[in-house]
Amino acid sequence: MRVFVTGASGWIGSAAVDELLAAGHEVTGLARSDASAAALEAKGAHVRRGDLDDLDSIRAGAETADAVVHLANKHDFSNPAVSNAAERAAVQTIGDALVGTDRPFLLASGVVGLATGRPATEQDLSPFHGAESPRGGSENLALEFADRGVRTVSLRFSPTVHGTGDHGFIAAIAAVARQKGVSGYPGDGTNRWAAVHRSDAARLVALGLEKAPAGAILHAVGEEGVPTREIAEAIGRAFDLPVTSIAPDDVQEHFGWIGGFFAMDGTATSIATQELLGWSPTGPTLIEDLDAGAYAVTE
């Protein structure tokens, strides 16, 4: 298939492009910089220049492809309204371009905030609707297109997609630990984060493209939940730092923007996804990655 990928040079996207190319697909990646374009071309992928705000380029990419994998996001945590609006506009544009084609449209979403007091499952519907909600309510918006001749598939990723070279949430928490001289965890550290290795997440994208039916919800979850205290202890070992609890009232001040996320409980299962796709996580666990030096300082 000719697959158009947004976020093709990102953390998950670049690994997903590798999987898609290995599976024999022709990939065109959206690239906003010369460096991103060069990296895609070096892999054997085609390039469409543009970014998440370039709706004309996104529309053209969707219209000329057999499938779309939408992984781009601004991730502007200082101004989430900007990220949410851009995400919703991009999803609307892609959906409109694919109406009536029965072509696959896979988009990135998350597992956090779907359930309270238990792990989220693929049967849990997203409570996020409308432009003001997280990700601009993009998952529900995209799934509406499943009734309009689009094979929409939601890719719900764990809050940490980890591995060597990750610059996401775990890297941010490790950076705070180095800056503060102490590896902290919120409260008693029993709140948990689902996790998945980057290689497993990328395989899920490729399998979802090939096998998932319209309206499917897939969970990229390798571990149901890793306690934040264990994460802090592993970071402490990695950087030879003391480990301590951060009082709930002090979490935001201590961790900054990442504090609100680190204090959340974000557990989820992937049982239904594994059964549907024949997908089984095989990569290292989050703690194994931390202990192996995946987040070691290289600069």
Side-chain angles (χ1 to χ4, degrees), residues 145-291:
F145 284 99
D147 295 325
R148 301 176 60 192
V150 180
R151 182 154 71 88
T152 303
V153 177
S154 176
L155 303 167
R156 290 177 175 171
F157 293 102
S158 298
T160 175
V161 180
H162 56 88
T164 301
D166 174 25
H167 294 288
F169 284 178
I170 296 299
I173 293 167
V176 171
R178 298 196 305 272
Q179 176 189 1
K180 301 283 188 177
V182 61
S183 182
Y185 55 86
D188 61 8
T190 57
N191 65 300
R192 299 184 299 156
W193 270 17
V196 67
H197 192 265
R198 181 189 184 214
S199 62
D200 291 322
R203 283 194 299 110
L204 178 69
V205 173
L207 287 170
L209 175 64
E210 296 170 0
K211 296 184 177 182
I217 293 174
L218 307 178
H219 278 195
V221 174
E223 296 179 86
E224 180 178 299
V226 185
T228 53
R229 179 167 183 166
E230 292 184 14
I231 295 172
E233 289 170 344
I235 291 173
R237 291 193 297 272
F239 298 101
D240 194 23
L241 296 171
V243 180
T244 189
S245 168
I246 305 300
D249 290 345
D250 298 330
V251 164
Q252 201 67 45
E253 179 182 355
H254 180 86
F255 290 101
W257 67 267
I258 192 67
F261 294 100
F262 202 32
M264 295 177 69
D265 196 63
T267 60
T269 69
S270 61
I271 296 171
T273 297
Q274 294 187 44
E275 291 177 350
L276 176 66
L277 302 181
W279 172 77
S280 180
T282 59
T285 67
L286 174 57
I287 301 304
E288 287 172 346
D289 257 353
L290 282 162
D291 285 343

Side-chain angles (χ1 to χ4, degrees), residues 19-128:
E19 288 287 336
L20 293 169
L21 289 170
H25 299 294
E26 180 182 325
V27 176
T28 297
L30 187 70
R32 63 180 178 180
S33 69
D34 292 341
S36 294
L40 286 167
E41 289 174 340
K43 294 181 177 188
H46 303 294
V47 173
R48 174 173 290 280
R49 294 304 294 261
D51 58 25
L52 203 56
D53 294 319
D54 189 347
L55 298 182
D56 288 338
S57 185
I58 289 173
R59 181 181 299 104
E63 289 175 342
T64 57
D66 299 317
V68 177
V69 179
H70 174 50
L71 302 174
N73 192 286
K74 285 180 176 289
H75 296 301
D76 185 352
F77 298 110
S78 65
N79 191 352
V82 172
S83 292
N84 296 341
E87 172 68 2
R88 189 173 183 87
V91 167
Q92 183 73 56
T93 298
I94 295 169
D96 287 341
L98 298 181
V99 167
T101 65
D102 292 322
R103 295 174 187 168
F105 172 23
L106 283 66
L107 81 156
S109 188
V111 300
V112 175
L114 301 174
T116 302
R118 61 169 177 79
T121 73
E122 295 88 341
Q123 287 71 44
D124 287 311
L125 300 180
S126 171
F128 306 125

